[in-house]
Amino acid sequence: MSWGTELWDQFDNLEKHTQWGIDILEKYIKFVKERTEIELSYAKQLRNLSKKYQPKKNSKEEEEYRYTACKAFLSTLNEMNDYAGQHEIISENMTSQITVELARYVQELKQERKSHFHEGRKAQQHIETCWKQLESSKRRFERDCKEADRAQQYFEKMDADINVTKADVEKARQQAQLRHQMAEDSKADYSSILQKFNHEQHEYYHTHIPNIFQKIQEMEERRIGRIGESVKTYAELDRQVIPIIGKCLDGIVKAAESIDPKNDSQLVIEAYKSGFEPPGDIEFEDFTQPMKRTVSDNSLSNSRGDGKSELKFGGKSKGKLWPFIKKNKLVSLLTSPHQPPPPPPASASPSAVPNGPQSPKQQKEPLSHRFNEFMTSKPKIHCFRSLKRGGATPEDFSNLPEQRRKKLQQKVDELNKDIQKEMDQRDAITKMKDVYLKNPQMGDPASLDHKLAEVGQNIEKLRLEAQKFEAWLAEVEGRLPARSDQARRQSGMYDLQNPPAVNNCAQDRESPDGSYTEEQSQEGEVKVLTTDFDDEFDDEEPLPAIGTCKALYTFEGQNEGTISVVEGETLYVIEEDKGDGWTRIRRNEDEEGYVPTSYVEVYLDKNAKDS
């Protein structure tokens, strides 16, 4: 079976067929290329899906992945990421081993096909040229024979005519001989060309064309075989990643089998156990008989039926009078203005003050009225029993014995991160200021001073907050003894930031096993002696200066607890703004008070604060 013998006269059809074969090969290359694009897109989507559900770093979501179910889900996400990698390998191998190789082969195939058909066309042109020569010699031989026949007839006619001279007859005879000679020469030439043509024709149909067609046939068979090899490679490349994909799936199954419901339940207990005992039964109160209310149900002040308060320190009650308040805070409470600070003169409204404090809702009252109200008001802080039932959570997490250390550690870590962010911002502003100093045309260095001061204040506030929680953490871990009032004041404890109040369950104490006992004084009421109460504040030492400030505007301190300042005046800062918009300052040992924070520019002295 050979195209040279079977298809000797199908040159044009073979040319079309081989071109179709190349088109089929290019179509297959395009198919594999699109498959590689699909694999890459699929792998990318799988990776994005895995990344989308990965826990965010340094977030609450990351803490949830300590549970076995969440760990299994995380393992599944990681396995899917590896699964996507195998599809990327499929795409890379198909591109390098099929698409690129076949594209190069197609170029070679086109050149080879062009060469073979060029030889075929050249052979066709040669045989056509031989045929044209044969036809030309044949026509010339035919023409010469006719001319010789006419010359012979003319000679015979002249020779028979008696009126023609002998010279004319001789001339006709020579002309006839010449024509005969020409006819013989044409015959010989025609015979030679005919033999040559027959030879060339035999060579063309039995040698040249069969050889050319045989090469074309071999070329086409190689093309078909190459497609078969590529299809096999296509399958093998897919098969090679199946074991690894199987391992990925095995990893997912293993992760699913590692889920431990009991362990997760135990982790929930460890994460949320408060350590408190459930509340006991509520005792029956018989209102049919007059009875005194317990101390835990009364406020710290005496019954106000007669409109007088008999104050007395006695026994253990003295230590329980102010369980959540320190003396400095009480003084600050009684003297700080209870009204929103005025805006700077350049501001249209308090809301226009940059970083302005929120205005408190309290109205200005005389000092004596506020003192009496404080001594006779109902307590505002819930007892531990109320906290356990969903009340307000203390800032030091003292309502969570089991979780306190962990919560404090988390808070310290968060504050340290915030401090680091502020420090990075300060470094960036400092570098920008240096650039402005070297290149004034880029900006005004003085325009960054306010921002640097603001960032410095933020860092100091965050450091104070971090020191506060670190002190609590050290207390919980047993690294430090209980904090004194002085340490509480200088570390910025939470009672300097929260409104003072008295716990009406101050006598409630938590027993070691988490239960509660109630202590009552012998008289059933707490009585405080006024003179002793005043003596507590007579011994109070003045607060140390923690920095200086410069008055940006003139302020007339007409309200109680405030102090007047003049624009440009420099004073000492003894207490920072605690969120109410007021800063406590001192001019000399006897003259101190509050001014609006927006009216002054504060420069904290870290050395003074640390001492």
Side-chain angles (χ1 to χ4, degrees):
M1 181 182 67
S2 173
W3 288 6
T5 57
E6 304 291 337
L7 303 176
W8 60 271
D9 56 346
Q10 300 297 321
F11 185 90
D12 294 338
N13 289 331
L14 286 181
E15 187 176 19
K16 294 178 181 178
H17 177 77
T18 52
Q19 181 60 44
W20 171 83
I22 292 177
D23 294 340
I24 289 292
L25 188 56
E26 290 179 338
K27 183 184 293 185
Y28 176 73
I29 294 173
K30 185 178 180 182
F31 159 75
V32 177
K33 185 176 180 181
E34 291 184 4
R35 165 70 190 277
T36 59
E37 293 174 354
I38 291 174
E39 292 292 342
L40 281 178
S41 176
Y42 181 53
K44 182 179 180 181
Q45 292 179 11
L46 285 180
R47 288 191 184 277
N48 290 340
L49 180 65
S50 177
K51 183 179 179 181
K52 178 181 178 182
Y53 287 94
Q54 288 281 351
K56 297 179 181 178
K57 294 183 178 180
N58 302 325
S59 65
K60 184 179 179 181
E61 183 182 359
E62 191 175 20
E63 298 178 2
E64 299 174 354
Y65 279 81
R66 57 185 173 174
Y67 300 102
T68 57
C70 294
K71 288 181 180 178
F73 178 53
L74 183 60
S75 298
T76 301
L77 295 178
N78 294 333
E79 294 295 346
M80 289 306 297
N81 199 48
D82 296 340
Y83 186 95
Q86 300 309 309
H87 286 276
E88 290 176 345
I89 291 176
I90 291 177
S91 176
E92 293 173 0
N93 291 340
M94 285 187 175
T95 300
S96 60
Q97 299 184 30
I98 297 180
T99 305
V100 175
E101 292 294 329
L102 285 184
R104 182 167 56 249
Y105 176 71
V106 165
Q107 296 301 323
E108 296 174 357
L109 188 65
K110 289 182 177 179
Q111 292 295 331
E112 184 180 0
R113 174 180 174 276
K114 181 179 180 181
S115 175
H116 294 327
F117 282 98
H118 178 71
E119 292 180 3
R121 288 194 180 88
K122 188 176 180 180
Q124 283 183 337
Q125 292 175 358
H126 178 71
I127 196 68
E128 288 176 359
T129 302
C130 292
W131 172 258
K132 290 179 180 179
Q133 291 179 354
L134 177 62
E135 288 294 324
S136 176
S137 63
K138 181 181 178 180
R139 286 195 296 272
R140 185 169 60 254
F141 171 61
E142 182 181 6
R143 184 179 63 252
D144 290 344
C145 288
K146 290 180 180 179
E147 291 294 332
D149 186 51
R150 283 197 296 270
Q152 182 65 29
Q153 291 177 0
Y154 179 74
F155 167 69
E156 292 177 355
K157 181 179 179 182
M158 292 293 291
D159 187 44
D161 190 356
I162 59 173
N163 297 323
V164 177
T165 62
K166 187 176 181 180
D168 293 334
V169 173
E170 185 62 24
K171 184 177 179 180
R173 185 180 65 78
Q174 291 179 357
Q175 186 68 26
Q177 289 179 354
L178 179 61
R179 294 295 180 182
H180 279 290
Q181 185 62 38
M182 293 177 62
E184 290 296 331
D185 293 339
S186 298
K187 180 179 179 181
D189 186 37
Y190 170 67
S191 177
S192 175
I193 292 175
L194 179 61
Q195 291 178 2
K196 181 180 178 181
F197 174 78
N198 290 333
H199 175 73
E200 293 292 339
Q201 181 175 261
H202 185 273
E203 289 292 325
Y204 174 79
Y205 287 111
H206 294 85
T207 303
H208 297 310
I209 288 297
N211 290 338
I212 293 173
F213 283 12
Q214 185 65 30
K215 293 177 181 179
I216 294 175
Q217 181 181 355
E218 293 174 358
M219 177 195 70
E220 188 70 7
E221 290 175 354
R222 285 198 308 272
R223 176 192 65 81
I224 297 172
R226 191 64 178 269
I227 290 180
E229 293 175 0
S230 299
V231 172
K232 185 178 180 180
T233 304
Y234 176 87
E236 290 298 328
L237 292 177
D238 224 339
R239 192 192 305 275
Q240 288 175 1
V241 301
I242 290 178
I244 304 178
I245 292 177
K247 290 181 180 179
C248 294
L249 299 177
D250 292 341
I252 295 175
V253 173
K254 184 177 180 180
E257 293 174 350
S258 67
I259 296 177
D260 188 353
K262 297 295 182 182
N263 182 71
D264 287 2
S265 298
Q266 182 62 32
L267 289 177
V268 174
I269 294 175
E270 295 174 0
Y272 301 110
K273 182 180 179 181
S274 66
F276 294 116
E277 293 291 335
D281 296 337
I282 300 176
E283 297 181 0
F284 176 76
E285 297 184 29
D286 190 358
F287 293 98
T288 60
Q289 298 178 2
M291 59 182 296
K292 293 184 178 181
R293 306 184 67 181
T294 62
V295 175
S296 60
D297 295 331
N298 269 339
S299 65
L300 293 177
S301 63
N302 193 12
S303 175
R304 290 178 290 177
D306 54 0
K308 297 180 180 180
S309 298
E310 181 184 0
L311 304 177
K312 178 182 178 181
F313 277 103
K316 299 179 180 179
S317 300
K318 183 176 181 180
K320 303 174 184 176
L321 177 59
W322 311 112
F324 298 101
I325 302 176
K326 295 193 300 295
K327 295 181 292 182
N328 287 338
K329 180 57 186 174
L330 185 59
V331 174
S332 175
L333 169 73
L334 299 178
T335 58
S336 62
H338 272 219
Q339 62 181 4
S347 302
S349 64
S351 61
V353 181
N355 301 324
Q358 296 181 352
S359 300
K361 297 181 180 180
Q362 291 88 342
Q363 299 297 326
K364 176 179 178 297
E365 297 179 2
L367 178 61
S368 59
H369 289 181
R370 285 162 48 200
F371 177 79
N372 292 334
E373 181 183 356
F374 174 76
M375 294 300 298
T376 59
S377 63
K378 291 289 184 180
K380 298 179 181 179
I381 295 183
H382 298 286
C383 63
F384 291 134
R385 191 183 297 270
S386 300
L387 289 173
K388 196 167 54 171
R389 294 175 179 173
T393 303
E395 191 178 9
D396 62 348
F397 304 105
S398 58
N399 64 316
L400 299 174
E402 296 285 341
Q403 306 294 325
R404 189 181 182 193
R405 191 194 68 79
K406 183 174 67 174
K407 296 289 186 181
L408 290 174
Q409 185 64 53
Q410 291 177 354
K411 189 68 176 179
V412 169
D413 294 341
E414 291 176 2
L415 289 172
N416 288 335
K417 291 177 183 177
D418 293 340
I419 291 174
Q420 187 60 43
K421 289 181 181 178
E422 293 292 337
M423 293 178 68
D424 294 341
Q425 184 178 1
R426 182 182 63 185
D427 295 341
I429 297 175
T430 304
K431 291 180 181 179
M432 186 179 296
K433 185 176 180 180
D434 293 340
V435 173
Y436 287 176
L437 289 173
K438 296 178 181 178
N439 302 288
Q441 67 273 12
M442 296 183 65
D444 183 14
S447 63
L448 301 176
D449 292 339
H450 176 71
K451 188 64 177 177
L452 278 174
E454 181 181 349
V455 173
Q457 292 179 8
N458 293 339
I459 292 176
E460 289 301 322
K461 289 181 180 179
L462 290 172
R463 282 177 176 171
L464 288 175
E465 192 80 4
Q467 291 174 5
K468 173 178 62 176
F469 282 95
E470 286 173 355
W472 280 330
L473 181 61
E475 230 178 72
V476 172
E477 295 177 347
R479 292 187 279 113
L480 292 176
R483 293 153 294 167
S484 62
D485 288 346
Q486 184 70 12
R488 290 170 182 268
R489 178 170 66 235
Q490 294 200 3
S491 61
M493 288 306 177
Y494 76 101
D495 49 6
L496 294 179
Q497 300 176 359
N498 295 332
V502 181
N503 193 345
N504 66 338
C505 293
Q507 289 76 15
D508 290 355
R509 293 293 182 268
E510 183 182 359
S511 60
D513 59 351
S515 61
Y516 290 85
T517 59
E518 296 184 356
E519 299 178 2
Q520 299 181 359
S521 64
Q522 295 178 357
E523 298 178 358
E525 295 178 292
V526 177
K527 297 183 179 180
V528 185
L529 187 59
T530 306
T531 56
D532 293 342
F533 181 81
D534 294 336
D535 291 341
E536 290 288 327
F537 298 100
D538 291 340
D539 298 336
E540 181 66 26
E541 296 180 359
L543 292 174
I546 61 174
T548 60
C549 67
K550 180 181 179 182
L552 301 177
Y553 314 101
T554 299
F555 174 68
E556 299 292 339
Q558 300 177 356
N559 297 328
E560 185 176 1
T562 61
I563 184 173
S564 300
V565 295
V566 181
E567 181 179 356
E569 184 179 3
T570 302
L571 306 103
Y572 295 100
V573 177
I574 59 176
E575 187 177 324
E576 290 185 78
D577 184 357
K578 300 303 180 182
D580 56 356
W582 295 92
T583 299
R584 190 175 178 184
I585 64 173
R586 177 190 297 138
R587 181 176 285 108
N588 50 50
E589 294 183 358
D590 300 328
E591 191 175 2
E592 65 180 46
Y594 287 87
V595 295
T597 304
S598 57
Y599 275 64
V600 295
E601 185 173 2
V602 178
Y603 306 96
L604 295 178
D605 185 0
K606 190 175 187 303
N607 294 329
K609 293 172 67 63
D610 291 342
S611 63

